[in-house]
Amino acid sequence: GRQRPEPLVTVPADLVREVAAIAAPVFDAAGALAGVIALTMPAMRLHRQHASDVQRCARRVTAELGGRYPPAT
């Protein structure tokens, strides 16, 4: 079956020159969006590992709020 990509946004220096950002949603116990974990940095410091770190943090906070990430479809 087709899998939905993980909810994660990575913005290289396209929008604001020399600034990159990574963000992942946080969900509450009702499954509603509770917030976002985001990391911004100079674009030259953006590494692939940052994305998994931000997503892991967002999943952890979601779990602490009693929520869970929507299953991949």
Side-chain angles (χ1 to χ4, degrees), residues 4-65:
R4 182 178 62 184
E6 291 289 328
L8 180 74
V9 176
T10 302
V11 180
D14 293 341
L15 299 176
V16 178
R17 187 177 172 103
E18 299 181 14
V19 175
I22 300 170
V26 172
F27 300 97
D28 65 15
L33 180 65
V36 174
I37 300 294
L39 177 65
T40 59
M41 72 207 77
M44 66 183 194
R45 293 187 182 169
L46 177 64
H47 296 286
R48 183 177 299 256
Q49 181 62 40
H50 291 133
S52 60
D53 292 342
V54 168
Q55 193 161 56
R56 185 174 50 253
C57 183
R59 286 180 173 276
R60 185 178 309 136
V61 173
T62 293
E64 289 177 10
L65 293 175

